[in-house]
């Protein structure tokens, strides 16, 4: 069902420092920070030849990554995003197998202007999974 790895998201307490690590120490192509108020995060995109890394930093009072950073004050891997052809078909198939879809279960438009859904980490080897319709 899943296709390409679209991105790995890493929550970071200091976006500038994290950008510098990827730009200078690791020599990657790093975008300027982009505010995503609808998602409660500021994102920096790092383009690798085969996938992307997204650095996430809380934006606003109800950021979905605030609690994660409280538990992981130096930052950490937040989720992986896999591409699917049909997000509703993927959701229905996973739900039929007992997997939990977060939120109201309806796809939302993600940071790349494509529909996304999140799946409960307890059902996926302890990792929060984002599905994006490619
Ligand atoms: Co993501």
């Amino acid at each position: 069902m899943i296709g390409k790895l679209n991105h790995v998201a890493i929550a970071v307490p200091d976006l500038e420092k994290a950008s510098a690590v990827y730009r200078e120490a690791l020599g990657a192509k790093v975008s300027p920070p982009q505010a995503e108020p609808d998602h409660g995060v500021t994102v920096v995109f790092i383009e690798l030849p085969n996938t992307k890394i997204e650095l996430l930093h809380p934006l606003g009072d109800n950021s979905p990554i605030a609690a994660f950073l409280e538990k992981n004050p130096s930052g950490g891997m937040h989720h992986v995003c896999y591409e699917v052809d049909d997000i509703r078909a993927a959701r229905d198939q996973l739900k039929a197998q007992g997997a939990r879809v977060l939120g109201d279960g309806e796809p939302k438009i993600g940071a790349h202007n494509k529909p996304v859904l999140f799946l409960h980490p307890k059902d996926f080897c302890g990792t929060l999974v984002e599905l994006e319709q490619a």
Side-chain angles (χ1 to χ4, degrees):
M1 182 205 306
I2 58 170
K4 285 183 182 167
L5 173 67
N6 185 277
H7 62 269
V8 174
I10 300 174
V12 300
D14 184 331
L15 208 45
E16 248 175 67
K17 239 190 211 172
S19 296
V21 166
Y22 272 86
R23 188 187 304 110
E24 285 146 38
L26 296 174
K29 191 177 163 195
V30 176
S31 82
Q34 189 177 313
E36 302 279 352
D38 290 351
H39 298 279
V41 290
T42 303
V43 189
V44 164
F45 298 96
I46 297 163
E47 268 180 57
L48 304 182
N50 64 338
T51 190
K52 293 184 284 280
I53 305 293
E54 293 182 5
L55 305 178
L56 304 177
H57 186 72
L59 175 66
D61 292 333
N62 295 310
S63 174
I65 65 165
F68 180 89
L69 276 174
E70 263 166 46
K71 279 185 236 148
N72 304 274
S74 51
M77 207 201 79
H78 187 260
H79 64 267
V80 291
C81 176
Y82 301 121
E83 296 180 2
V84 293
D85 290 332
D86 182 333
I87 199 162
R88 285 191 166 80
R91 173 198 63 190
D92 293 346
Q93 192 179 322
L94 288 162
K95 278 174 84 170
Q97 293 166 35
R100 287 164 282 183
V101 177
L102 300 189
D104 63 4
E106 284 307 307
K108 290 196 169 58
I109 297 303
H112 312 113
N113 288 317
K114 291 182 174 162
V116 301
L117 277 177
F118 285 91
L119 306 173
H120 201 293
K122 288 205 171 127
D123 297 330
F124 294 94
C125 313
T127 306
L128 178 62
V129 172
E130 179 179 20
L131 297 180
E132 180 174 294
Q133 187 165 294

